[in-house]
Amino acid sequence: GIQVEQSPPDLILQEGANSTLRCNFSDSVNNLQWFHQNPWGQLINLFYIPSGTKQNGRLSATTVATERYSLLYISSSQTTDSGVYFCAVDGYSGAGSYQLTFGKGTKL
Amino acid sequence: DVKVTQSSRYLVKRTGEKVFLECVQDMDHENMFWYRQDPGLGLRLIYFSYDVKMKEKGDIPEGYSVSREKKERFSLILESASTNQTSMYLCASSFGRAGNTIYFGEGSWLTVV
């Protein structure tokens, strides 16, 4: 199956700093999503971004599908950004499939 | 807003007990999922369902079963709980085929003693 690798595994930031999280995947995808899991365990969808660039406030994401990676940018970080960030992909199967494969996350 | 509700936030069960984890979604989603999350392993798919009474095995189905009698409800069953099933369990749902946003419940922390 498709492999998803995230880096770095851990990240410590001063409040106000910027950061970039990376997600590499091993095959073509038709669905890529970024999630934030808060310290209480709730997973929130941040972006659905199989290709291109999207922005939402201080967060933005870029996926370069041809090179099989996605980046999540966090600007002017705040304490509420703490948690774990997951990338999840759904490999292309022609007819589409129902399940996402998750990376192991970046703990911020 | 989409709401995925898991019936129990924290459970402690004894080895050998039968355990039911319930999940309900209120957005008429076709697809529902059960994941387990363990430190260093990320989220791993146990089972998913794309329609009532339909189920498909995920990556780690051993020791688990599921039930989907109604569209809004997806239950995860541990027939005989074991200590290696101590974990956080996450239910999720999504609409239609691949390519749609997936929504998660708050998680159920299960400890088997």
Side-chain angles (χ1 to χ4, degrees):
Chain A
I2 195 165
Q3 305 297 314
V4 183
E5 292 187 0
Q6 291 186 242
S7 60
D10 297 280
L11 187 59
I12 298 174
L13 290 178
Q14 293 281 358
E15 203 167 357
N18 303 326
S19 65
T20 301
L21 283 59
R22 187 177 180 102
C23 171
N24 293 332
F25 43 94
S26 61
D27 207 343
S28 301
V29 297
N30 61 10
N31 182 355
L32 187 146
Q33 299 186 36
W34 282 98
F35 295 86
H36 173 229
Q37 186 173 41
N38 65 25
W40 297 271
Q42 178 72 57
L43 269 161
I44 303 296
N45 183 282
L46 297 175
F47 294 103
Y48 163 65
I49 185 166
S51 64
T53 298
K54 289 186 177 180
Q55 180 152 9
N56 184 1
R58 296 182 296 102
L59 303 180
S60 64
T62 294
T63 297
V64 183
T66 53
E67 296 186 24
R68 300 181 184 168
Y69 72 89
S70 183
L71 302 174
L72 178 69
Y73 304 95
I74 304 174
S75 64
S76 303
S77 59
Q78 301 176 359
T79 55
T80 52
D81 295 331
S82 297
V84 183
Y85 290 82
F86 289 100
C87 165
V89 303
D90 177 2
Y92 181 70
S93 63
S97 60
Y98 301 98
Q99 56 177 305
L100 295 175
T101 299
F102 282 77
K104 294 184 178 179
T106 293
K107 186 175 181 181
L108 176 61
Chain B
D1 282 351
V2 175
K3 191 151 182 69
V4 180
T5 303
Q6 294 183 225
S7 58
S8 302
R9 193 88 167 101
Y10 300 97
L11 306 93
V12 180
K13 298 292 182 180
R14 294 191 180 278
T15 301
E17 275 193 77
K18 190 170 186 176
V19 181
F20 292 87
L21 299 179
E22 306 284 343
C23 176
V24 177
Q25 49 92 6
D26 66 356
M27 282 302 292
D28 203 35
H29 284 171
E30 289 89 347
N31 309 316
M32 297 190 74
F33 310 82
W34 275 106
Y35 287 87
R36 85 176 258 178
Q37 183 177 10
D38 300 288
L41 297 178
L43 277 75
R44 294 179 292 166
L45 182 65
I46 305 171
Y47 269 96
F48 66 100
S49 168
Y50 53 88
D51 201 352
V52 176
K53 297 191 185 295
M54 304 300 288
K55 60 184 179 183
E56 296 283 343
K57 292 180 179 179
D59 300 319
I60 51 164
E62 296 77 20
Y64 303 94
S65 62
V66 290
S67 172
R68 192 160 181 207
E69 296 295 319
K70 294 184 178 181
K71 191 175 185 180
E72 68 271 17
R73 187 179 298 270
F74 193 35
S75 303
L76 180 69
I77 303 156
L78 287 66
E79 294 289 344
S80 179
S82 62
T83 54
N84 63 13
Q85 293 178 309
T86 292
S87 186
M88 178 153 96
Y89 291 87
L90 288 155
C91 176
S93 71
S94 70
F95 175 72
R97 311 267 317 181
N100 289 310
T101 300
I102 187 169
Y103 298 89
F104 281 87
E106 291 185 322
S108 297
W109 296 85
L110 172 66
T111 301
V112 183
V113 297

